[in-house]
Amino acid sequence: MDTMNISLPASLKSFVDGQVADREFGSCSAYIRELIRYDRDRQHLRSLLLEGGESPPSVTADEACFETLRAGVRRHSES
């Protein structure tokens, strides 16, 4: 694993220390790794949403489409 050192103002360092304690992270590094993973996943989701938004519709969202969805939800909730 590579190492990266960062400098933080006292207020941010205090915040990080509090998050580590309150959320039971093993270390500041574990907390920062979690934030980086979250940001990476958020950016990936954003790119997928943008890609989907730019693509042509594949299904017409008419009443029949919604009724099929409702029926699936009803079947799922009954089991």
Side-chain angles (χ1 to χ4, degrees), residues 54-66:
E54 293 170 355
S55 67
S58 60
V59 175
T60 302
D62 58 9
E63 185 58 34
C65 174
F66 285 107

Side-chain angles (χ1 to χ4, degrees), residues 23-78:
R23 296 170 61 188
E24 299 180 0
F25 284 96
S27 66
C28 293
S29 292
Y31 175 66
I32 299 299
R33 283 192 297 272
E34 181 68 20
L35 291 178
I36 293 169
R37 285 186 199 104
Y38 176 83
D39 193 46
R40 179 192 60 199
D41 293 347
R42 185 190 59 79
Q43 287 183 18
H44 180 69
L45 176 59
R46 184 177 190 276
S47 70
L48 291 174
L49 290 170
L50 289 172
E51 181 183 325
E54 293 170 355
S55 67
S58 60
V59 175
T60 302
D62 58 9
E63 185 58 34
C65 174
F66 285 107
E67 187 50 46
T68 301
L69 292 172
R70 287 185 201 100
V73 168
R74 284 193 286 278
R75 277 193 309 275
H76 180 71
S77 65
E78 293 171 356

